[in-house]
Every structure is written in structure tokens, then in C-alpha cells.
């Protein structure tokens, strides 16, 4: 069932409450549409792809720890790119949470060391599993299409995903509605992690450090001086990986 042993060995040194995929609640292991909110006070508007491998990642941030369940069959290429970055210790370069808008999204991914950005260029789009278009902004229960805690990519056109990510800070009915880069590949799991999402600084909103500044300087002392309340990702590590396919 995957590389569970090595994942658990790494988990001993991390701060996330979830040390293995067996720690997840059933609604986190097997997410599905429901009329009722789950233990994280959220609902899926549309059925995520079922079965397949799930990788548990722990990210340390200056706002607190984040556990991320990466569902490799939700968006295979997007999941692979994120996991490649994690395994490459990309996030240990101190990645700025540069564009964080209250109840909307937090965008991040430009490396703290500018030299690292060259390694992760654009790659092809995945097929969207959310239902697209204005008619599907909410489902029959009133759940918004793009749930709080979903992880996807920032982009600007077809096949434009690269090293910039988004995590939803609130439920949103517009995201995932047609932009090819907004395909969720994973989601935040655990009460501790949702507490962290709520603590991420949104002081600067759309007026945080520019992409140009971060590409030039990375997470420099100058950036910290200009934006003293900015939060950062300091590391992400693989904790566990298991085939979560349920027997019929």
C-alpha cells in the first residue's frame, strides 16, 4: 500500500496533527457530496473522483501547520507537480503567502530562492472534475462549487500552470467554473489545519508583494521589511501515501 513506512518515519519530526492517512476522518478519506456539513464545517458541491492513491503532506507555515490530502486521481498532473516540489524541498526556501484575500484565496509558490523558479515551468492542464459554467455555481443543497480548503493552481490561460498555487480560504461559487488551471488536486484536512487557514494573514490582500519583486528578490530581508505581517511556508514534507480504493 505505497511507501507508508518511510512516510511515518518522516512524520515524527513534523508539527501536523495527522501523522498518517489512518488518522483522517472517514469524510476526509472518502470525500463525497452531502446535504450536511462535515466535521470541518464544509461540503463538497460535486462528487470528487473516487479511489486511487492519496498522499498526505504536512506544510509548516508561520501561521501554523497545514495537512494536505493530495488525491492523485483528482488532477494527476497537478498532483505530480506539487509532490515533485515537496520532495525537492522547494518550500524550504521560505515561500511567501503573497496574495491572501479574506474568505477568497491565498496564492503562493514563488520560491524564496529565485534560482529555484526556473526548474518548474508550465505544464499541461488536467481535466476538470468540477461542473463548469454559471448553472453549476451551487448544487441542489446550496453548496458552492469550490470548497474552502481546496488546493489548485494559479494561471493565466491554457496549459499555464507552473509553480504558483492557490488554497481556498472560503467557499467560492465562481472558481473552477471554466478556468483550466482551477482543477482541485487536493484539500486541507484536520481541524488544526483549518485553524491555520483562518490565521493566515490577509492584511495585504491584493496589495502584497508583487510577483516581479518576489521573482527578483525571493523572500529577502527587504521583502520582510516592506511586508512585516506576511506569512510564509517554511517546509512541506510527505507524511504518508496509501491506495485508498475501497473494495466493492
Amino acid at each position: 500500500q505505497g511507501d507508508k513506512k518511510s512516510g511515518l518515519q518522516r512524520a515524527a519530526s513534523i508539527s501536523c496533527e495527522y501523522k498518517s492517512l489512518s488518522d483522517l476522518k472517514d469524510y476526509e478519506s472518502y470525500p463525497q457530496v452531502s446535504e450536511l456539513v462535515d466535521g470541518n464545517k464544509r461540503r463538497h458541491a460535486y462528487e470528487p473522483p473516487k479511489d486511487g492513491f492519496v498522499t498526505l503532506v504536512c506544510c509548516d507555515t508561520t501561521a501554523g501547520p497545514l495537512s494536505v490530502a493530495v488525491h492523485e486521481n483528482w488532477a494527476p498532473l497537478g498532483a505530480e507537480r506539487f509532490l515533485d516540489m515537496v520532495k525537492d524541498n522547494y518550500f524550504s526556501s521560505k515561500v511567501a503567502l503573497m496574495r491572501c484575500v479574506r474568505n477568497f484565496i491565498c496564492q503562493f509558490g514563488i520560491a524564496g530562492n529565485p534560482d529555484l523558479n526556473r526548474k518548474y515551468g508550465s505544464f499541461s492542464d488536467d481535466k476538470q472534475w468540477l461542473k463548469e459554467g454559471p448553472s453549476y455555481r451551487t448544487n441542489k443543497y446550496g453548496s458552492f462549487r469550490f470548497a474552502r480548503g481546496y488546493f489548485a493552481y494559479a494561471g493565466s490561460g491554457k496549459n499555464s500552470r507552473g509553480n504558483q498555487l492557490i488554497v481556498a480560504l472560503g467557499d467560492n461559487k465562481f472558481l473552477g467554473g471554466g478556468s483550466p488551471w482551477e482543477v482541485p488536486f487536493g484539500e486541507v484536512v484536520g481541524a488544526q489545519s483549518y485553524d491555520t487557514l483562518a490565521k493566515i494573514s490577509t492584511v495585504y490582500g491584493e496589495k502584497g508583494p508583487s510577483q516581479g519583486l518576489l521573482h527578483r528578490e525571493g523572500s529577502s530581508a527587504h521583502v520582510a521589511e516592506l511586508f512585516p505581517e506576511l506569512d510564509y511556508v517554511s517546509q512541506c514534507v510527505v507524511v504518508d501515501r496509501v491506495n485508498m480504493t475501497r473494495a466493492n
Side-chain angles (χ1 to χ4, degrees):
Q1 296 286 325
D3 52 358
K4 191 168 184 176
K5 183 177 179 181
S6 62
L8 289 173
Q9 289 172 341
R10 297 187 70 181
S13 64
I14 64 172
S15 58
C16 292
E17 63 176 342
Y18 285 172
K19 306 301 185 186
S20 77
L21 283 161
S22 63
D23 292 333
L24 271 65
K25 308 297 188 292
D26 193 66
Y27 54 80
E28 297 171 326
S29 297
Y30 305 101
Q32 59 185 332
V33 173
S34 174
E35 183 177 1
L36 303 176
V37 297
D38 64 23
N40 294 320
K41 299 179 181 179
R42 57 197 294 274
R43 298 185 296 186
H44 295 272
Y46 300 105
E47 291 288 347
K50 297 184 183 300
D51 302 329
F53 279 92
V54 177
T55 298
L56 181 63
V57 171
C58 175
C59 292
D60 285 322
T61 80
T62 51
L66 280 175
S67 292
V68 184
V70 179
H71 292 262
E72 298 177 27
N73 64 342
W74 285 14
L77 297 177
E80 181 180 31
R81 167 56 62 87
F82 176 67
L83 293 174
D84 283 347
M85 293 167 71
V86 170
K87 294 170 186 176
D88 199 27
N89 294 319
Y90 179 91
F91 295 96
S92 297
S93 68
K94 189 180 177 185
V95 174
L97 296 166
M98 64 183 190
R99 177 182 169 237
C100 300
V101 181
R102 186 173 179 270
N103 291 329
F104 180 40
I105 62 163
C106 188
Q107 182 175 338
F108 63 104
I110 298 176
N113 175 356
D115 292 338
L116 296 178
N117 293 307
R118 301 187 185 97
K119 186 173 181 179
Y120 294 102
S122 60
F123 64 101
S124 299
D125 294 324
D126 281 297
K127 182 180 179 180
Q128 180 61 275
W129 57 269
L130 296 172
K131 292 186 178 182
E132 298 180 309
S135 299
Y136 297 103
R137 288 173 178 166
T138 61
N139 69 1
K140 62 183 179 180
Y141 303 126
S143 304
F144 286 7
R145 176 166 44 209
F146 203 94
R148 179 169 56 98
Y150 277 173
F151 264 70
Y153 286 82
S156 58
K158 190 174 181 180
N159 301 323
S160 64
R161 297 182 300 176
N163 63 342
Q164 293 198 44
L165 303 153
I166 61 170
V167 58
L169 300 182
D171 297 330
N172 188 283
K173 63 184 179 181
F174 300 106
L175 293 173
S179 299
W181 55 89
E182 293 170 355
V183 184
F185 65 84
E187 61 181 352
V188 171
V189 289
Q192 179 195 52
S193 298
Y194 281 96
D195 286 345
T196 295
L197 274 192
K199 293 175 184 175
I200 291 173
S201 176
T202 56
V203 168
Y204 303 112
E206 300 279 5
K207 297 182 179 180
S210 69
Q211 295 190 33
L213 175 62
L214 293 175
H215 275 291
R216 290 192 305 273
E217 297 189 15
S219 297
S220 66
H222 179 229
V223 170
E225 183 180 355
L226 291 174
F227 301 95
E229 296 189 62
L230 200 67
D231 279 311
Y232 297 85
V233 181
S234 56
Q235 74 163 346
C236 292
V237 298
V238 172
V239 177
D240 199 2
R241 181 174 184 263
V242 173
N243 188 337
M244 302 296 281
T245 302
R246 274 181 158 165
N248 293 327

